[in-house]
Amino acid sequence: MKPSTDLKVLFAELADCLDERDLHQDVPPAHLHDWSDERAGQPLALVTPRSTKQVSDVMAVCARHSIPVVPQGGLSGLAGGAVPSEGCLLLSLARMNAIEELDSAVGTMRVQAGAVLQTIQEQAESEGWMFALDLGARGSCQIGGNIATNAGGNRVIRYGVMRDLVLGLEVVLADGQVLDLMQSMKKNNTGLDLRQLFIGSEGTLGIITRAVLKLSPGVGGANTALIAFANYDQGLQFLKQAQTAFSGHVSAFELMWPDYYQFALKTLGRPDQFDRDYGYYLLFDVQSSHPEQDYPKFEQLMADAFENGTVENAVLASSERETEELWQLRDCVSEILSINAPTINFDVSVSLNRIGDFADQLKATLDERFPNLITLFFGHVGDGNLHLVAGPVQGGKEMEHAIESEVYRITRDFSGSVSAEHGIGLHKKKWLSHSRSEAELALMKSVKQAVDPQGLLNPGKIMD
């Protein structure tokens, strides 16, 4: 904030842009943090605009007064990307939550950035379509935040990440200018694809206000199995066999290491469905419009895998209830986090063929250095994404830093990414150089300087 800024003048100008009820000088505590434990600073106020014009007008006021702005969505982020910086204005998109249009003929949906993911999913389903992005925070996360962090989730192996699901964007720049990129064509080869500049930029280059989303044909259900392997290579062999059998339509390939699997069973109070322990457990499903018609093919895949020695054991869901119970093993992460709190939740990726060795080295290193630490491994391994829950972390920030140093050092040694889908935000900024070269970081900063020369948008996040 400029030393010369008169807050009465600032708030008066902001009030002229908004409904009176949408300027909050007393910021509700819920807006001071996200799902991470990051804290950065005290905001001046919170605004909750209801239109793109209001966002544009607010940004123009802030640009005149050099006031930093931190955009907020559903506040379900795990990297501190939406926490306030000192002296900033918080801008929540929550009131801009309309689903403006669903084109049933071509499978597109136009939405405002504050629309909740689950609402979008349900609206698409009601019209015979599916919005493929899915993740545990579906009931609270907002699509603008999903886009800003390039969210991934459970179905990336088949449908891709958020970059693959966005056809158009509307973005408000730091000076209040509105950038209309809302074209819904799937083919548009007219120079730089500016949409991609903002997807994954975590609100540091512009505020996403609206989007055109790509829908997929609706599904009637899925054939689901819980599969046991002796070693990681068997899992890779099975993935290839499954992708071949179903022409690339595998919808979920969620691998669980034994420690996670057993902890999930204990958390849910369930007995093990297998008669002995195995090296890896896979939650596997194939969605389709008529899963019952595809079931014989699903069974044949499993029979072939048993015969050629790829699969050690398997449980096939025979009802929707059994499918839900199998998914609960993978979806009880929030309960596991609570039991092991305080935890560090890692979200990393390496080449698919190296994940087994990568996880082995991580576990061996952490077990040796931190013998009292519980480490649980799982992830969307079909797309190279490994999650690690480490806790309880009892040594405060010093121990947290020591654990992160080991994990990200090994990630760097495997030429991996320190963030597969959660973003960089505030928390992982110090580790970004483990995955990006000096030249890449310099170019990112050059883009930031060109688009936001005053450095007003989400300052301190991703890069300085």
Side-chain angles (χ1 to χ4, degrees):
M1 184 177 64
K2 283 184 189 177
S4 59
T5 297
D6 185 327
L7 290 183
K8 288 184 178 180
V9 173
L10 174 68
F11 290 144
E13 291 185 22
L14 289 173
D16 287 341
C17 303
L18 301 159
D19 293 344
E20 182 180 350
R21 54 189 167 166
D22 293 328
L23 174 58
H24 313 270
Q25 294 185 44
D26 293 324
V27 179
H31 286 270
L32 300 179
H33 60 88
D34 57 13
W35 284 5
S36 74
D37 61 353
E38 292 292 336
R39 299 291 189 274
Q42 184 64 36
L44 294 177
L46 165 73
V47 294
T48 53
R50 298 168 186 260
S51 69
T52 299
K53 184 180 185 308
Q54 288 185 343
V55 175
S56 174
D57 291 344
V58 166
M59 287 307 306
V61 169
C62 290
R64 287 198 299 273
H65 291 277
S66 298
I67 300 297
V69 177
V70 174
Q72 293 187 330
L75 295 168
S76 59
L78 294 169
V83 299
S85 57
E86 186 65 33
C88 77
L89 180 74
L90 295 176
L91 190 151
S92 169
L93 281 300
R95 297 195 188 278
M96 294 178 58
N97 58 11
I99 295 177
E100 298 177 340
E101 181 186 41
L102 195 160
D103 190 328
S104 293
V106 297
T108 61
M109 183 186 290
R110 190 174 68 238
V111 301
Q112 291 182 318
V116 172
L117 175 58
Q118 185 171 333
T119 303
I120 291 172
Q121 292 173 328
E122 291 171 352
Q123 185 65 34
E125 185 178 353
S126 72
E127 297 289 335
W129 291 90
M130 179 181 71
F131 183 60
L133 180 73
D134 189 41
L135 46 118
R138 65 185 69 86
S140 57
C141 64
Q142 297 171 14
I143 197 65
N146 298 149
I147 297 170
T149 56
N150 189 30
N154 301 329
R155 305 293 180 187
V156 171
I157 189 172
R158 178 170 178 178
Y159 299 102
V161 295
M162 200 69 230
R163 291 189 187 280
D164 303 298
L165 303 175
V166 175
L167 294 173
L169 284 181
E170 179 183 78
V171 181
V172 177
L173 301 180
D175 60 359
Q177 181 182 179
V178 179
L179 197 60
D180 185 352
L181 309 171
M182 290 287 283
Q183 303 91 342
S184 60
M185 297 91 71
K186 295 182 180 180
K187 298 181 72 175
N188 182 2
N189 194 15
T190 54
L192 297 178
D193 186 350
L194 295 178
R195 295 171 307 161
Q196 299 300 335
L197 187 64
F198 299 98
I199 300 173
S201 67
E202 301 183 43
T204 62
L205 301 181
I207 299 176
I208 296 167
T209 49
R210 294 163 71 227
V212 179
L213 305 176
K214 173 185 174 183
L215 305 180
S216 299
V219 297
N223 289 304
T224 307
L226 179 66
I227 303 170
F229 303 106
N231 56 65
Y232 183 76
D233 286 344
Q234 286 181 321
L236 282 186
Q237 293 170 26
F238 180 76
L239 176 60
K240 181 179 179 182
Q241 294 169 16
Q243 291 283 41
T244 301
F246 286 94
S247 301
H249 285 176
V250 172
S251 304
F253 199 88
E254 301 287 310
L255 200 63
M256 298 170 280
W257 275 247
D259 288 349
Y260 175 87
Y261 176 72
Q262 294 298 334
F263 208 102
L265 289 175
K266 181 180 178 181
T267 300
L268 296 171
R270 289 190 197 162
D272 194 343
Q273 298 192 61
F274 298 119
D275 56 359
R276 66 177 182 85
D277 294 337
Y278 292 94
Y280 299 85
Y281 300 86
L282 172 69
L283 182 60
F284 167 72
D285 80 10
V286 181
Q287 292 179 325
S288 64
S289 56
H290 300 287
E292 67 283 352
Q293 295 179 12
D294 292 334
Y295 190 74
K297 187 176 180 181
F298 191 78
E299 274 191 315
Q300 188 60 52
L301 168 66
M302 302 308 303
D304 292 344
F306 272 111
E307 185 175 343
N308 62 32
T310 303
V311 167
E312 300 289 326
N313 209 338
V315 174
L316 276 62
S318 59
S319 66
E320 186 174 337
R321 179 184 62 81
E322 290 183 3
T323 294
E324 291 175 356
E325 289 177 352
L326 291 182
W327 269 103
Q328 286 170 5
L329 289 168
R330 177 58 183 82
D331 286 343
C332 68
V333 177
S334 59
E335 291 92 334
I336 290 175
L337 294 179
S338 176
I339 292 170
N340 290 320
T343 62
I344 309 176
N345 310 306
F346 293 97
D347 156 49
V348 292
S349 63
V350 300
S351 299
L352 187 58
N353 63 337
R354 305 189 73 191
I355 286 182
D357 292 337
F358 176 55
D360 288 346
Q361 186 166 333
L362 284 173
K363 183 164 181 58
T365 300
L366 294 176
D367 284 352
E368 180 181 355
R369 282 212 56 193
F370 311 99
N372 296 322
L373 190 70
I374 296 172
T375 55
L376 306 175
F377 293 83
F378 59 99
H380 323 300
V381 172
D383 50 74
N385 187 178
L386 179 69
H387 291 289
L388 162 61
V389 173
V393 180
Q394 303 291 5
K397 290 293 183 180
E398 184 176 344
M399 182 177 179
E400 179 179 315
H401 182 81
I403 294 169
E404 289 181 333
S405 294
E406 293 291 355
V407 171
Y408 293 133
R409 174 186 62 79
I410 296 170
T411 301
R412 179 189 59 201
D413 292 346
F414 275 76
S415 301
S417 169
V418 299
S419 179
E421 59 183 0
H422 292 166
I424 297 299
L426 189 64
H427 187 76
K428 295 185 182 181
K429 184 173 64 171
K430 57 183 172 289
W431 308 110
L432 185 57
S433 62
H434 282 43
S435 297
R436 290 299 187 102
S437 68
E438 290 185 11
E440 288 176 306
L441 293 172
L443 182 57
M444 288 184 193
K445 291 177 181 179
S446 295
V447 172
K448 170 71 170 175
Q449 177 63 29
V451 178
D452 180 17
Q454 293 192 77
L456 298 182
L457 283 168
N458 215 3
K461 313 299 171 51
I462 305 183
M463 53 199 164
D464 289 323

